[in-house]
Structure formats: structure tokens, C-alpha cells
Amino acid sequence: MPPEKREARPKRARVPAFVKKLRGVGNWKEVSAWLEWRGIEDIECITPDQAGVARGKMMPSSKFTSNTSLALPSAVFMATISGRYPEDGNGFVYPEDDGDLKLVPDLSTLTMVPWEDDPTAAVICDLVHQDGRSVDFTPRNVLKRVLAAYDKRGLKAVVAPEIEFYLVNKNPDPDYPLTPPVGRSGRAIGGGAGYSIAGVNEFDELIDDIYHFSESQGLEIDTLIHEEGAGQLEINLRHGDPVELADQVFMFKRTIREAALKHDTYATFMAKPIQGQPGSAMHIHQSIIDKKTGRNIFSAEDGSETEAFFHFIGGMQKHMPSALVMFAPYVNSYRRLTQAASAPVNNKWGYDNRTTAFRVPRSDPAARRVENRIPSSDANPYLALAASLACGLIGLVEKLPAEPPVVTTANEDEIDLPRGLLEAVELFENDQALRKVLGEPFVTTYAAIKKAEFETFMEVISPWEREYLLLNV
């Protein structure tokens, strides 16, 4: 056929690169195209509360892109894990009007919700007052406040979290203990399977869903291993910006729970879910970069440790006991922190010493970092990162000395940390340096919530009390 007779084929519209990104867009102009290309029907506008639970609103995508004003009551960020509210006192005052706080979507977090049947997206939001001021007591803003203090000094924090969790049989009745699930072998999972590939393979299909859900959200898993506990797994994330990594942990927790439910199993981030089994941690690797030079301030040009390295550790050693309530936020958290275990009850440090609270892994000088092994997996990732970096920052600013490193087992002697929630709250409230970095509104609000949670716990009669007190006292 002559060229002039041929019908011109319609050209395919070129899809912009930003539309194909799995996670985040640059501005509101890009949002509509990103949603339309995926056929998104609904948007989850979510934000972490003090417990790290996703709170927010769901709406049609057309409403989301029409400049709709979003708001949540301030009470959402003052509630305990059981839904109660604390009493006024010690600087905390419950707002009488319970006014609205505005949700401001962070478009860099826009992503798919892969487990929903209808095409759904989610976006993480910040909170501001009606006049645009940042809300000082919400977790994401607390972390941003700490990072702003680093930025003011020309510094940038880099972190890498490691999150442990358990897979357990469904447990609709809380009066019964949790039990390990049955894997593909048909037998209940036992303990002592640390780093076992066979242990991981017991949950092949579930883990495949975790990977698929994560990939579709642009979440980057570095490694996945089986830990020591029965049905206990650990996911390591790649290092990066603290807010971005906190966002990823926040989303990972939702992802892992949803993947587990798909396989008729629970995933739990309780610090100590099963008696006699190891607890679950959220270890945090930290290094600090000089923004001008791009160098790790923990290492000198000759590769040796700097004064800043020791000051950072010194700050963590001095203030970590006061910040413990942000790493171990519940009564159950303190069941994990026991002597002669890999969960530290000390504030010592050492080179590649897993019995210390602060471990310095083997690395080249550019990657020199401090691993904080204290946080439990039940901690709010935004608050755990904020507290850990705040303690290190105080050490840098005040040039606090570090104790000598420990070269022996450090977790069998004295206990350096609070042994319970109330003791931890008291130290938290009395640490003025920590209060200044984290902000008065957050400290008073968080302390009030934790006291109220303790009082709720005290209303429950435990099996231990019925076992040993019922007929003996």
C-alpha cells in the first residue's frame, strides 16, 4: 500500500516518570495524574497517634484533589492505648473545647494500599493548628523538632531501624496466652531458630505477601531473618533520613499485620508477647553527617573516633534512662528488659558487644555508627527516633564524656534503667535538658498519657495474683 494510503497510528501518550513512582509525588499538580493512572477510588489520610496507631479519614479521590480541608480532634493525640483520657496535672491540661487540628498531607508519602480490594491509596499527614502553627505534641512533629535542632548546628542524622515481631495464632480471647503458629511443615513453630533459613521458609507464602505489599508501596526491605523466638522474625531497613524511615516503620507495621491476617495469623509487635520466649526489639543504628562536608562526624580523617563520637555516646548514657518511657512505653515493655538477656538493662557501650545498650558495630570509618539496642518493637518509631537522637544531641552540645567501653558481658550485674513504667515517667518528667529538646507540650502530654495507662493496667487482676494470692494470703 502506498505510504499516502496508510492510516496513521495513534501515538501512545507518554506517561510522565513521576506517575510511575511507587511512592510520593512532588506537588498537587502531579497528584491527579498519579491517582488517575492507577484508577484510585479512595484515599486514606492517616497520621500516627502517640501509640503509633494510624488515625485519620478516608475519602473519595475526587474529594481529596478538590482542596478539601481535613481535620481531627486534638483529643486523638491525648488518648491512652485503651481509649481513655488522662487527668489534668503536672503541666497537662485537657483542652476544654477539644478543637480541631488540621491534617496537611505530605505528598512525598503518597502510595498504594495493596491489601484493599478497591484501588486505594494512602498519604501520611502532619498536624497544624488552625492558624498554621505546628502542633508540638504530635509524634511526627516531635521528630521534626529534634531534626531541626540538628539542622541548626549544620548536622544531619542518618538512621537504620531493625524491627522484630512475632507471628502467633489468632487469639480472640485475651484471657488465653498467645501461642506460636503452625508453619508449612504442619508442626507448631519452636524457639532457637535464630537465622534459620528453614524457619523463614515455614512462612514462605506470608513472607512473599510482605515482600509484594512492600514493593508496591515503595518500601525497601534490606534483609529478613528468623529470630530466636518461636515464630519471631526481624526486618532490617536501609539507612536514610529519620522521618522517611519512621514513616516506613509506621507503614511496615500496617503491612505486616495485613499480610498476616491474609494467612489467618496475627502479627504482633508487643515487646514480650509469649512467656518464656525472647522479647521483640526495634534496634536503631545512628550516625551524624556534617552537612557542609558530607562526612560522618564520628570519624576523623585518619579513620579514628572523634570527640563527637564519644560525646554522642555520653549523651545517650546520661539521658537514656530518662528517655526510656519513649522506648519502652507500656507495662509489658519492661518484661522484655531483663538481666542475662540480649535486651539490655544497662546504659553501657562497647565495640560489637550485644550485651551493652549501645553497640558500635564493626564497619569502615565512613559507616561508623552507634546502635541503640534499648527500644522495644512496641515503641512509636517517630518517638523512639526522636528520643534517641535527642539524647545524642544533648551529648554533642554539652560535650558529655562517655564511660570506657565494656569488653565483657554487661547485662548480668547492676541495672541502670528504670524497672517499671511509673519510675520511667518520673525520670522523664524531671530531665530538663530532654524536656527542652522535645518540647514542653509533648513532655506533659505524653507523661500524662503514660500515667493514665498505668492506672488502667492496675485495674486488671492477673493470673499470677490468682495463682499465688487467692488461697495463700
Side-chain angles (χ1 to χ4, degrees), residues 147-219:
L147 297 179
Y150 273 90
D151 185 69
K152 184 179 178 181
R153 293 166 175 82
L155 301 174
K156 174 185 175 183
V158 177
V159 300
E162 303 170 348
I163 313 104
E164 297 171 347
F165 61 96
Y166 272 89
L167 299 174
V168 297
N169 287 320
K170 280 191 170 180
N171 181 267
D173 190 338
D175 280 341
Y176 289 90
L178 297 172
T179 56
V182 173
R184 68 173 186 166
S185 65
R187 304 182 67 179
I189 302 301
Y195 295 93
S196 166
I197 298 300
V200 171
N201 290 341
E202 286 281 354
F203 309 104
D204 267 351
E205 292 184 3
L206 193 160
I207 290 171
D208 283 345
D209 279 333
I210 291 176
Y211 277 126
H212 293 154
F213 286 170
S214 299
E215 288 171 4
S216 64
Q217 296 173 88
L219 303 175

Side-chain angles (χ1 to χ4, degrees), residues 14-26:
R14 181 175 174 273
V15 179
F18 73 83
V19 169
K20 297 181 180 180
K21 286 180 62 179
L22 296 175
R23 187 172 184 81
V25 295

